[in-house]
């Protein structure tokens, strides 16, 4: 059974009927007590708590058709934080209310509650402060724009000010945080430098560069950096990651903004590169030697040209993967690996 699908849990015959409708509408899997499984055409369970323990972190969302107390007791032992918890909503088995219980913004429970309510004619119940105030939530805006949260604890201060009516300052040199809706834009003020216009105004920084940490300064990271990597055959993942981390630390770059790891086609099966990219959450691109050789780079190598058919791997790959961008970190080497960064 696909674990990427939401799960719907019912505990009564009436709830199972409602759950079957929700599962169909939400493209989810339905779970009911063993005694109801055949008639409901669902997967049976012997104990709800044991089922939730096995599935809580394996699925993106959980829909309970039961009393809120049952749902809360089932999920309570497994809670982490709002950035890692899946969405959890609860509907009564009469289908009158759809309540967002957990991970309302970042996990998407608020949107799921509204969707489930629309499916069955229920009233969505959303209690997060920004929603109650009719204000945007910064982590939801970030997710919609594909921006990662580098220091998510700062969302508390930012959202508190948004819920109070704002303003929140935004430094967005790449133009990656547009807020076109005037009803939402009124909560923000855009600034030309990474400093708030007045003391006490929280600041959202949308940038790949590191900055001063502060509880009222939220860093949103766009995946705009391309890291070119060259290495000897069999170079361990740890050495490649340590090189990338050192480059980022020394150059004031956020690793969370690395979107792609690039190299030469001959390294397509290089485990160290593939595992490093997976660890960083970056995709991989591999270029033919002829493509790399056509790129002008500041530090070509005759030795590399002799063995690889191109005078540059890491610098040329970084430039190509950034669509002809500029190098912000030139070739940097360890004993067995090289790395360069472009944006």
């Amino acid at each position: 059974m696909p674990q990427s699908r939401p799960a719907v849990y019912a505990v009564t015959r009436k709830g199972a009927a409602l759950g079957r409708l929700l599962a169909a509408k939400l493209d989810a899997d339905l779970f009911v007590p063993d005694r109801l499984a055949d008639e409901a055409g669902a997967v049976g369970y012997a104990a709800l708590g044991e089922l939730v323990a096995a599935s809580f972190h394996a699925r993106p969302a959980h829909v309970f058709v039961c009393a809120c107390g049952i749902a809360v007791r089932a999920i309570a032992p497994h809670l982490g934080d709002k950035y890692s918890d899946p969405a959890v909503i609860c509907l009564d088995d009469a289908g009158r209310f759809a309540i967002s219980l957990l991970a309302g913004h970042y996990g998407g429970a608020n949107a799921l509650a509204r969707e489930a309510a629309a499916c069955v004619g229920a009233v969505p119940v959303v209690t997060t402060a920004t929603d109650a105030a009719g204000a945007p939530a910064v982590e939801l805006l970030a997710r919609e724009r594909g921006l990662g949260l580098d220091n998510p604890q700062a969302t508390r201060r930012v959202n508190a000010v948004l819920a109070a009516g704002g303003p929140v300052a935004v430094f967005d040199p790449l133009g990656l945080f547009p807020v076109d809706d005037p009803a939402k834009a009124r909560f923000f003020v855009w600034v030309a430098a990474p400093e708030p216009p007045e003391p006490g105004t929280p600041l959202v920084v949308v940038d790949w560069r590191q900055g001063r940490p502060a509880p009222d300064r939220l860093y949103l990271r766009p995946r705009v950096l391309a890291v070119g990597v060259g290495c000897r055959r069999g170079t361990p993942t740890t050495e490649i990651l340590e090189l990338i981390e050192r480059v980022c630390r020394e150059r004031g770059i956020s690793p969370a903004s690395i979107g792609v790891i690039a190299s030469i086609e001959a390294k397509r099966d290089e485990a160290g590169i593939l595992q490093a990219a997976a660890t960083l959450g970056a995709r991989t691109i591999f270029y033919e030697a002829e493509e790399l050789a056509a790129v002008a780079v500041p530090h070509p190598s005759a030795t590399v040209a002799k063995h690889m058919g191109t005078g540059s791997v890491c610098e040329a790959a970084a430039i190509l993967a950034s669509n002809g961008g500029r190098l912000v970190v030139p070739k940097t080497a360890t004993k067995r690996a090289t790395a360069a960064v472009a944006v």
Side-chain angles (χ1 to χ4, degrees):
M1 184 173 292
Q3 296 293 289
S4 60
R5 287 156 57 99
V8 177
Y9 312 95
V11 300
T12 66
R13 179 171 281 105
K14 187 176 182 181
L18 184 63
R20 188 164 55 247
L21 174 60
L22 286 166
K25 295 281 190 179
L26 300 175
D27 190 26
D29 298 313
L30 175 62
F31 299 88
V32 301
D34 286 335
R35 70 182 189 280
L36 302 174
D38 289 341
E39 66 180 89
V43 179
Y45 63 82
L48 180 61
E50 293 176 2
L51 173 61
V52 172
S55 65
F56 188 71
H57 290 292
R59 292 179 180 269
H62 302 268
V63 179
F64 290 85
V65 185
C66 59
C68 280
I70 295 174
V72 169
R73 289 185 179 91
I75 67 174
H78 316 296
L79 302 186
D81 58 64
K82 66 180 183 177
Y83 304 104
S84 60
D85 288 334
V88 178
I89 70 170
C90 185
L91 291 88
D92 60 287
D93 64 10
R96 292 178 297 176
F97 301 100
I99 304 164
S100 174
L101 282 182
L102 186 71
H105 290 145
Y106 204 68
N110 290 354
L112 182 61
R114 295 185 178 102
E115 184 180 1
C119 291
V120 300
V123 176
V125 180
V126 175
T127 59
T128 42
T130 50
D131 291 87
V138 70
E139 62 265 49
L140 186 56
L141 292 175
R143 188 177 69 172
E144 290 171 350
R145 289 151 181 78
L147 301 169
L149 303 175
D150 211 0
N151 56 331
Q153 65 278 6
T155 60
R156 297 187 184 96
R157 170 62 176 155
V158 172
N159 279 338
V161 172
L162 290 173
V168 167
V170 178
F171 174 65
D172 180 23
L174 299 178
L176 299 175
F177 192 77
V179 182
D180 299 324
D181 183 352
K184 295 178 180 179
R186 67 184 179 85
F187 291 88
F188 299 96
V189 55
W190 277 258
V191 294
E195 294 297 332
E198 296 180 9
T201 301
L203 177 67
V204 174
V205 177
V206 186
D207 200 3
W208 52 269
R209 289 164 288 202
Q210 297 280 13
R212 177 173 61 84
D216 59 354
R217 183 178 289 240
L218 174 65
Y219 289 93
L220 302 183
R221 300 305 186 187
R223 293 273 189 174
V224 295
L225 298 178
V227 177
V229 174
C231 67
R232 293 182 185 176
R233 180 63 66 184
T235 300
T237 303
T238 52
E239 183 170 338
I240 294 172
L241 284 173
E242 286 169 2
L243 172 58
I244 293 172
E245 290 165 3
R246 173 166 67 87
V247 162
C248 288
R249 183 176 63 253
E250 293 176 351
R251 298 293 182 135
I253 292 171
S254 171
S257 282
I258 297 173
V260 59
I261 302 293
S263 191
I264 192 168
E265 181 64 32
K267 300 296 181 182
R268 179 175 288 276
D269 63 347
E270 189 68 49
I273 293 176
L274 298 176
Q275 291 169 14
T279 300
L280 294 167
R283 60 193 178 92
T284 54
I285 299 179
F286 298 93
Y287 297 101
E288 297 290 348
E290 294 80 5
E291 296 177 275
L292 297 171
V295 180
V297 297
H299 303 99
S301 166
T303 301
V304 172
K306 178 181 177 181
H307 292 285
M308 304 303 296
T310 172
S312 171
V313 172
C314 68
E315 289 182 333
I319 291 170
L320 284 177
S322 63
N323 297 315
R326 63 184 176 90
L327 285 176
V328 293
V329 180
K331 180 169 70 173
T332 305
T334 63
K335 186 176 181 180
R336 290 176 290 188
T338 60
V341 185
V343 64

